[in-house]
């Protein structure tokens, strides 16, 4: 396992992150954290660990600085999150250890909206998207219709309100797509076995759609 602390330039700030690449890596997944979260999120780190076990690299970064994250409105600034996530994806494209690897995006909560906007903006760069308890509706219908990367939306069966938003987003997507509902799970997938199922679904989806480039 190769581990690299990284700092990614985005405008006037540096985004702190952790890049981990297992041996014989077949792709790399860039995580877009939800509002109020960070690269240290235990839920996303658990999923990342399972992805690495499936020979997928992971990049977990903070899309907001500590000062920005303290501003509640900034957490829902999808345009800003999208710019930062795009810069991180471009970093993976030009970074020697990852340049040849297909890129997937894993978005949680508001991070899912940013992931889908990036997929719409960079169709040649993004090979697959997974949303966990996401708000894909915040990406906007125009962006959803432009997404070409195969997209999996994962929602808890007891995450009422968010289920309907994901169903509407699923209908708007014109790509290969799937909506997976985890029975009995609430928004944070804190129930026994719920996060394990999220990790299993994500690893299967990314392994299927992140094929190494020729």
């Amino acid at each position: 396992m190769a581990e690299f602390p990284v700092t990614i330039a985005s405008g006037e700030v540096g985004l702190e992150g952790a890049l981990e690449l297992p041996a014989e890596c077949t792709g790399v997944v860039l995580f877009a954290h939800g509002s109020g979260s960070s690269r240290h999120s235990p839920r996303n780190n658990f999923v990342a660990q399972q992805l690495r076990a499936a020979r997928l690299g992971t990049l977990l970064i903070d899309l907001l600085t500590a000062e920005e994250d303290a501003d509640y409105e900034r957490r829902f600034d999808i345009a800003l999150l999208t710019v930062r996530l795009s810069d991180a994806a471009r970093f993976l494209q030009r970074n020697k250890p990852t340049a040849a690897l297909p890129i997937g995006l894993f978005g949680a909560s508001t991070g899912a909206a940013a992931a889908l906007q990036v997929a719409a903006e960079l169709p040649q760069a993004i090979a697959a998207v997974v949303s966990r308890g996401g708000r894909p509706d915040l990406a906007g219908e125009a962006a959803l219709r432009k997404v070409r990367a195969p997209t999996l939306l994962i929602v808890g069966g007891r995450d009422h309100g968010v289920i309907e938003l994901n169903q509407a987003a699923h209908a708007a997507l014109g790509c290969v797509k799937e909506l997976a509902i985890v029975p009995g799970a609430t928004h944070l997938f804190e129930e026994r076995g719920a996060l394990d199922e999220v990790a299993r679904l994500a690893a299967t989806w990314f392994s299927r759609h992140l094929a190494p480039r020729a």
Side-chain angles (χ1 to χ4, degrees), residues 92-102 213:
L92 289 173
Q93 287 183 302
R94 64 176 183 268
N95 184 46
K96 187 175 180 180
T98 56
L101 297 175
R213 300 169 189 156

Side-chain angles (χ1 to χ4, degrees), residues 142-160:
L144 291 174
R145 294 195 181 283
K146 288 173 62 179
V147 173
R148 294 293 172 261
T151 299
L152 171 64
L153 307 176
I154 306 174
V155 194
R158 292 167 56 200
D159 196 1
H160 305 299

Side-chain angles (χ1 to χ4, degrees), residues 29-95:
V29 178
L30 170 58
F31 280 68
H33 304 298
S35 56
S37 188
S38 75
R39 71 184 187 277
H40 302 297
S41 159
R43 286 177 292 275
N44 280 348
N45 273 278
F46 175 81
V47 173
Q49 183 180 34
Q50 303 309 307
L51 295 183
R52 292 192 294 271
R55 293 171 52 208
L56 294 162
T58 59
L59 173 56
L60 291 94
I61 62 169
D62 291 335
L63 294 178
L64 298 176
T65 66
E67 294 77 13
E68 291 170 338
D69 193 55
D71 181 348
Y72 185 77
E73 291 186 1
R74 281 291 185 94
R75 298 179 183 180
F76 290 86
D77 187 342
I78 305 302
L80 176 62
L81 297 177
T82 299
V83 168
R84 301 270 174 90
L85 193 63
S86 293
D87 288 337
R90 291 186 176 95
F91 165 83
L92 289 173
Q93 287 183 302
R94 64 176 183 268
N95 184 46

